[in-house]
Every structure is written in structure tokens, then in C-alpha cells.
Amino acid sequence: MKPPEKPTTESSAPAAKLWGGRFDEGTDAFVEAFTASVTFDQRLYRQDIAGSKAHAQMLRQVGVLSSDDIQKINTGLDKIEADISAGKFQWSVAREDVHMNIEAALTEHIGDAGKRLHTGRSRNDQVATDIRLYMRDACDLCAAEATRLMQALLQLADKYHDTIMPGFTHLQTAQPVTFGHHLLAWFEMLLRDLDRLNDTRRRLNQMPLGAAALAGTSYPIDRNITKELLGFDGVCENSLDAVSDRDFAIEFCSTAATCLMHLSRMSEELVLWTSAQFNFVRLPDRFCTGSSIMPQKKNPDVPELVRGKTGRTNGNLIALLTLMKGQPLAYNKDNQEDKEPLFDSVDTLLGCLRAFADMVPAIEANEPSMREAASRGFSTATDLADYLVRKGLAFRDAHEVVGFAVRHGLEHNCDLSDMSLNILKQFSNKIEKDVFEVLTLEGSVNARNHIGGTAPEQVKLAIERASARLATTYQTSA
Ligand code: ARG
């Protein structure tokens, strides 16, 4: 094995740094690269520029900067933003991060006015502001995709509101349910995720700017001006907390991990259901891939990959919790490590929601196969017990009677509904002709006719309520 390459120790001159004044020698070249964040925090450039413009505007209103400075700063920042968007901006690792890259380029473009932009500000309150602005947009994008997915689920639930499938507990056939009802269970999980996204966004929309390095600033700043310009709901009340806490990032990662856990459960069901053994649903070819060796294979790659991505979002959450747990107040360089896990959770959640929102409308149920599976496994046994209770038996006695009937069915390889009235009467003389109404699959699902129940009529009503609930929940996030 080759020994690791010796890092280069050539250093850049101290004066090249925006903070170089008190340093005798330049930064070690490896340390420069090791401590830089520009390779991953450059995605904050829009937020950084918006924050700088608002800060500069506020400084002018309180008389710290001149109108001439402001004009130059705005023009310079506009040019830089256009260059970055067009891929023409030269990012430099020696300039460490997105903030100093933009500030240094600004001074190159407009001269001394650029040097005055950082008055009354620190990278500590700057970065905290940038991330919150970024997360606000990230929450909105995720909320929009989650909503698109939920709308698709409601349409599919409507299409299959009376399609009968087996419901499972312990992955053993339990009772018949409607496919629409099953899809509405997925909807409920996601609606809570959307609500969690809204909550995360609401709590993070507080402005750190003005906290400066940690203690505030001696300039006569007006934080309300900046807050209004940037669309924050309020200002962070404590400067030490404002620059140091990243609980909003943890909260987003937790929301993302929870939502991915839900998407992963749905994925697991789709993977099972598309197998030849279940054969409950078909996914169109465009969401599947083949095998390079087995010509017959059509693999449900999209759900499998979403299930696999849960590892990332769980990992990112633990990474951030661990990152924060030992930090004394206020800002520490540790915090630079918040970005990669956070951005990865944003990308993963957004990508998985998008994949599902595109795929769900294309799911096709194999209704005969679902029905056939529901009619196996004595799925109406509880209905027979309930029938006997209505005829006067205590539930425990009814349970035992049906147990005997099921054993008979197992021995003779037939379902309860296949047994003749005479056979059924051997288990209880309370059983009469009307028993066959409850032993059918339709009889079973139609009987569960209350809010939250699986009856097709209830599924229809639940879809109406769900679509109204989605409309109010999504509105509050925008
Ligand atoms: N790149 C830094 C970060 O992401 C910006 C803040 C640096 N502040 C400092 N005092 N070194 O956290």
C-alpha cells in the first residue's frame, strides 16, 4: 500500500486573508483546505447576497453607510450573483467560505465601499442567517412536493375506494380492508410530516443578524429593518444563542428522518406487493429496472432506493445531535460541520418525495389478485364472532366457536364462506341463513361503517375531509 501523500505545507501570505492583520505567517496549505467550507457552503450564495443587501440597506437607514456606498454595494452584489448563477464566478479555497469569497470579490469590483459592508456584522451571525433563509426555502420546496404526493394518494384512494384486499397484522391475513383505506393510512402519515415541516419552518424563521460575533454590536443598528427586508417573523432574542444554536437544523433533519421512515414503510409494501408472491400492484416500467443477468426480472428500484436512503437521513440526524452536544457558548468552528448533513437531508427528502409524487399516480392495482388473497386466510373470522355476539353469545365464547370452525376449515381446506349452513350449525346452533351476509368480503368491509373505518362509503367521506385538511395544512406553510 502506498503511504499517504505528504500534505503540502506551502502557505499563502497572511495579508491575503480578510483577517490576516494579526498573523505573522500564512496559513499552512493543508490547513487552509482542511478548514475551508467553500466547496459546500457556496450553495448559500443567494441567501448570503440577500442578507448582505438587507444589512447594507439597514446601515444606510441608520446613517452608518452613505447612499453612494449602497448603490455600489447593490450593483456589485448583483453582478456577483449573476456571475455565480452563470457559472462564471471563480471560487477560491484560500478565501475559505462563501461569505469571504463574495465579500472579497465585491471589494475587487467596487473598492472601499465593499470593505464597509461588514460593519456591525460577523460571519457568525451572517452564516446563521444564511442557513435559516436557505432552510425556509427548503421547507417550502419539500412541502410542495409532499402536497403533490398526498394529492396523488387521494386520487388513487378514490379510484380504489371499494377495491378489497387483505389487511395484515404480523404480516398474516387479518381482516379484509379496502385498498383506498390503506392508501389513506399513507396519507395520514404524510400529513403529519407536512405539519412537522410547517412547525420547523415557523420556529426557524427568526433572524440572527445583529448578534454580530456573539455579544451584539456597538453600532446603532435597527434589527427590525433587516428583519422586515428579509421576511423574518421576528429577531432572535439573545445574541449568544442566535449565533450558536443549530436546533432548527436538527429539527429539520428529524422531520426529514421521520418522513423518510414513512416513505420507507410505503416502499417496503410496494416491494412486497410487486413481487410474484403477492402480485397486488403493478409499477410502470419507467420506475423499474431490469437485471443484467436474469432476463425475466423487473425490479422495483425506486421504492428500494427510497427505503435505502433512510440510512442517510437517520445518520444526518445523529451527526447533528452529536455535533451540538458538547459545544460551549457561543460560536465554535464545529458548527461549520452542520452544513453537509443538513444539505444532504434536504436533497434526500426532496428527491424521495419527488420520486414518490411522480410514481404514485402510476400505481395500478391487480384487483382480482388482491381479492383472491383476501378470501384466503379466514379474513372474515372476526365477522363471524361479531355475528354470534349479536345473536347473544359472549365475545369470548364466540371467539372459541369460530376457532373450532377455522380448525375445521384448515382440515378440509375450505374458507368459512364455503361451509354449508349445516356444517356451520355444528359449531353453534345460533348460526342461521343470514350468516352468509357477514361472511362475504363486501359484508365485512361494509360493516365497518364509522369514521376511520374501512367501508367504501367511509373511504369516500374520508377523502373529502382529507382534501380539506390538506388544503389548510399546506396553506399554513406557504
Ligand atoms: N464557514 C463558517 C461556518 O460555516 C462561517 C463562520 C465562521 N466564523 C468564524 N468565526 N470562523 O460556520
Side-chain angles (χ1 to χ4, degrees):
M1 211 169 96
K2 252 177 51 184
E5 266 176 47
K6 192 170 177 295
T8 131
T9 49
E10 245 177 73
S11 35
S12 54
K17 302 290 183 204
L18 291 181
W19 40 253
R22 60 98 69 219
F23 284 77
D24 291 331
E25 56 173 0
T27 317
D28 176 280
F30 173 72
V31 170
E32 189 169 85
F34 184 68
T35 53
S37 55
V38 66
T39 49
F40 51 84
D41 67 12
Q42 52 180 269
R43 75 154 87 183
L44 296 173
Y45 79 91
R46 280 206 179 87
Q47 291 74 19
D48 196 68
I49 288 172
S52 287
K53 282 183 171 171
H55 178 66
Q57 168 73 19
M58 180 278 289
L59 288 180
R60 190 192 65 76
Q61 280 181 240
V62 299
V64 174
L65 290 186
S66 68
S67 321
D68 187 44
D69 282 341
I70 288 302
Q71 232 202 325
K72 287 187 178 137
I73 287 172
N74 283 339
T75 317
L77 287 174
D78 284 344
K79 158 110 182 81
I80 291 170
E81 185 163 358
D83 283 352
I84 299 175
S85 305
K88 287 194 297 202
F89 188 82
Q90 196 57 50
W91 295 103
S92 148
V93 169
R95 287 175 177 171
E96 200 177 318
D97 56 24
V98 61
H99 323 292
M100 291 201 290
N101 266 266
I102 292 176
E103 192 190 322
L106 181 66
T107 301
E108 275 168 14
H109 286 315
I110 66 166
D112 282 355
K115 293 188 190 164
R116 282 193 277 274
L117 170 63
H118 211 52
T119 313
R121 181 176 81 166
S122 152
R123 273 185 298 153
N124 297 351
D125 59 344
Q126 190 178 354
V127 68
T129 303
D130 291 2
I131 312 174
R132 287 175 190 245
L133 288 173
Y134 181 88
M135 291 314 297
R136 216 163 66 178
D137 292 348
C139 286
D140 291 345
L141 288 173
C142 291
E145 285 300 48
T147 301
R148 194 161 70 87
L149 167 55
M150 281 182 271
Q151 283 162 343
L153 283 173
L154 293 184
Q155 281 196 356
L156 205 64
D158 189 52
K159 178 170 173 194
Y160 295 119
H161 71 280
D162 60 357
T163 301
I164 291 176
M165 67 182 284
F168 299 93
T169 61
H170 313 267
L171 203 59
Q172 311 285 321
T173 300
Q175 291 170 357
V177 294
T178 45
F179 186 37
H181 190 58
H182 193 112
L183 293 166
L184 287 182
W186 291 1
F187 174 92
E188 291 299 321
M189 304 176 197
L190 291 168
L191 191 66
R192 289 192 296 274
D193 291 333
L194 178 62
D195 202 32
R196 271 183 278 271
L197 267 176
N198 290 346
D199 247 16
T200 306
R201 189 198 194 281
R202 180 177 57 76
R203 240 188 309 277
L204 69 74
N205 200 25
Q206 300 288 320
M207 189 189 71
L209 215 53
L214 75 164
T217 174
S218 56
Y219 294 95
I221 59 168
D222 184 341
R223 298 182 71 200
N224 269 322
I225 297 177
T226 343
K227 177 205 103 175
E228 288 298 324
L229 288 171
L230 292 171
F232 281 108
D233 293 333
V235 299
C236 297
E237 285 278 346
N238 180 289
S239 63
L240 296 167
D241 176 56
V243 292
S244 63
D245 211 343
R246 295 292 183 267
D247 58 1
F248 63 90
I250 292 174
E251 215 175 313
F252 179 86
C253 284
S254 157
T255 299
T258 306
C259 185
L260 257 283
M261 175 274 292
H262 285 147
L263 293 176
S264 178
R265 295 183 64 195
M266 299 170 200
S267 296
E268 172 67 9
E269 295 191 318
L270 288 173
V271 170
L272 286 171
W273 292 347
T274 50
S275 70
Q277 288 69 24
F278 274 81
N279 193 22
F280 283 2
V281 300
R282 276 181 296 268
L283 288 180
D285 289 358
R286 62 184 184 281
F287 294 101
C288 301
T289 61
S291 154
S292 55
I293 173 169
M294 296 166 281
Q296 85 283 13
K297 291 295 286 291
K298 174 174 156 184
N299 298 326
D301 280 35
V302 170
E304 286 176 278
L305 201 53
V306 168
R307 189 177 58 188
K309 298 250 185 214
T310 317
R312 280 172 187 263
T313 43
N314 286 354
N316 294 337
L317 172 61
I318 298 299
L320 289 194
L321 284 167
T322 313
L323 172 70
M324 293 312 296
K325 80 170 273 292
Q327 287 196 50
L329 287 173
Y331 177 87
N332 303 283
K333 184 75 169 179
D334 313 40
N335 278 348
Q336 185 166 290
E337 283 291 302
D338 62 355
K339 289 170 206 62
E340 286 165 292
L342 180 60
F343 294 161
D344 187 67
S345 280
V346 170
D347 295 345
T348 305
L349 178 61
L350 201 54
C352 292
L353 286 170
R354 183 188 163 165
F356 254 75
D358 289 347
M359 181 178 67
V360 160
I363 292 175
E364 261 179 64
N366 184 347
E367 297 182 72
S369 182
M370 283 180 164
R371 189 180 176 86
E372 200 270 324
S375 59
R376 276 182 280 126
F378 306 99
S379 64
T380 54
T382 319
D383 297 273
L384 180 55
D386 291 344
Y387 169 89
L388 290 168
V389 168
R390 284 197 297 276
K391 300 271 174 174
L393 247 64
F395 182 77
R396 273 295 147 232
D397 294 333
H399 188 286
E400 192 179 25
V401 165
V402 181
F404 290 135
V406 166
R407 196 195 297 174
H408 177 90
L410 284 171
E411 279 161 10
H412 296 84
N413 196 22
C414 65
D415 191 62
L416 297 174
S417 57
D418 301 330
M419 294 175 199
S420 68
L421 187 57
N422 277 344
I423 301 269
L424 287 168
K425 270 188 174 301
Q426 287 173 15
F427 305 109
S428 164
N429 58 13
K430 296 209 181 311
I431 298 182
E432 308 191 41
K433 218 165 71 230
D434 61 353
V435 72
F436 293 105
E437 281 158 41
V438 307
L439 290 183
T440 63
L441 296 173
E442 274 73 15
S444 173
V445 294
N446 286 334
R448 285 157 174 80
N449 195 6
H450 53 77
I451 285 197
T454 196
E457 198 184 317
Q458 288 298 329
V459 172
K460 280 277 194 192
L461 293 171
I463 292 169
E464 266 177 46
R465 289 193 305 272
S467 117
R469 288 160 67 215
L470 177 57
T472 38
T473 311
Y474 183 52
Q475 238 174 27
T476 56
S477 80

